[in-house]
Amino acid sequence: MNAAYVFRVRFRLDASGVRLDPREFETVLRVPVVAPDSDDDPDGWLFFRDNLWHGAVSDERHLRELVGDRLDVDVTSVAFAELETDTASLTALREAIGADLDEFNAANVDEVLHKYLGSSIRVTD
């Protein structure tokens, strides 16, 4: 898939014996979207369902810990910016959602996308 969840991340560096200026930094983090049919991480394609709600991070503490572990830094804030995707990847995601609407307790795919991603989808074709 050619898609990524885009987050704005603020983190702090702590070091003993030295002074840092600044000690806090901001960056943009892109987490690749796992293909719905991936054997490597069968639940990974549900990242949006497990971590986002109406285009925002659903549990910031949990996601700060997740991102902090991945980056090996103390993350002080994380905010969802958008799903950056191409048309083919969005189509694959829509098809996977549509094949299992009961999983999302929704009537249609558009409802699922809005429920979790809000209006934060950017198609880059």
Side-chain angles (χ1 to χ4, degrees):
M1 291 195 77
N2 190 20
Y5 302 105
V6 181
F7 294 92
R8 302 217 183 295
V9 176
R10 187 167 184 81
F11 63 94
R12 177 179 35 247
L13 297 178
D14 292 316
S16 62
V18 297
R19 188 172 62 201
L20 301 171
D21 186 27
R23 355 179 339 196
E24 288 198 2
F25 301 87
E26 292 182 358
T27 192
V28 173
L29 171 70
R30 285 179 171 76
V31 178
V33 172
V34 174
D37 58 356
S38 174
D39 291 332
D40 296 334
D41 188 358
D43 293 327
W45 81 274
L46 295 172
F47 179 89
F48 69 95
R49 182 204 63 189
D50 298 339
N51 294 288
L52 304 173
W53 187 249
H54 292 285
V57 172
S58 59
D59 182 349
E60 186 182 356
R61 181 178 169 194
H62 167 72
L63 209 52
R64 279 194 332 257
E65 291 173 4
L66 189 70
V67 171
D69 289 346
R70 182 172 271 187
L71 300 178
D72 197 26
V73 294
D74 180 22
V75 173
T76 59
S77 69
V78 60
F80 178 68
E82 66 186 6
L83 169 65
E84 181 179 86
T85 185
D86 60 17
T87 301
S89 297
L90 183 57
T91 299
L93 180 63
R94 292 178 68 85
E95 288 171 358
I97 291 169
D100 199 7
L101 278 176
D102 290 341
E103 175 77 25
F104 303 98
N105 193 26
N108 58 55
V109 173
D110 288 335
E111 181 183 344
V112 172
L113 292 174
H114 182 71
K115 185 187 290 189
Y116 295 98
L117 298 167
S119 59
S120 301
I121 300 172
R122 184 168 60 95
V123 180
T124 59
D125 291 333

